[in-house]
Amino acid sequence: MAQQIPVAFILWLLGGLEWVIWGVAVRVSVSLIGHWAVGHYAHRQGHQGWIVEGLPVQGYNLPWLGLLTFGENWHGNHHAFPHSARLGVEAGQFDPGYLFIRGLEKLGLVHDIQLPQSKPMRAGLTRIS
């Protein structure tokens, strides 16, 4: 949590307490709720494009959580391709997290971005419709 202190200090200087509340407290709360929602719902229900035989828990895709989770809502795809930076692997799956990573690549801040085809398919992975 200490990493929020410099952010809070800068926001305090720029706009006072209101900026700190919105820029730290609200932002962190929304992120944590999104993370919890994916962890809770994405292992129970939703669209399933892939099954990984032998996994005790399967992942499901939750399109309605897309913007809140920055693309982690494609959790079934994450189970299928855990190495991939791109989680929106099917047509129409918006993945803002991957777009952000690509932006960082263009700035020279990241490299060697892994995609689903970067590694062999994992054992037991089966595509379902």
Side-chain angles (χ1 to χ4, degrees):
M1 292 188 291
Q3 72 268 22
Q4 301 306 321
I5 293 171
V7 175
F9 181 71
I10 292 168
L11 291 172
W12 178 271
L13 292 176
L14 292 172
L17 182 61
E18 293 84 7
W19 282 42
V20 174
I21 290 170
W22 283 99
V24 177
V26 172
R27 177 181 54 86
V28 170
S29 296
V30 168
S31 297
L32 289 174
I33 290 168
H35 179 78
W36 172 85
V38 166
H40 180 77
Y41 291 110
H43 293 118
R44 289 174 171 69
Q45 61 191 13
H47 169 264
Q48 194 171 28
W50 308 90
I51 291 179
V52 184
E53 299 294 331
L55 287 185
V57 177
Q58 297 296 321
Y60 298 87
N61 295 325
L62 305 169
W64 52 277
L65 279 175
L67 290 177
L68 181 64
T69 63
F70 218 54
E72 183 61 27
N73 59 309
W74 307 119
H75 205 68
N77 300 344
H78 163 71
H79 279 240
F81 308 104
H83 62 276
S84 179
R86 190 175 88 212
L87 299 177
V89 299
E90 299 177 35
Q93 292 182 337
F94 180 61
D95 188 351
Y98 178 64
L99 294 175
F100 182 75
I101 291 169
R102 291 297 308 266
L104 293 175
E105 179 185 41
K106 289 185 186 310
L107 293 172
L109 298 173
V110 298
H111 57 86
D112 194 30
I113 297 171
Q114 300 292 302
L115 298 174
Q117 64 271 19
S118 297
K119 293 188 178 182
M121 289 182 71
R122 70 185 297 176
L125 181 62
T126 304
R127 176 82 167 116
I128 58 175
S129 53

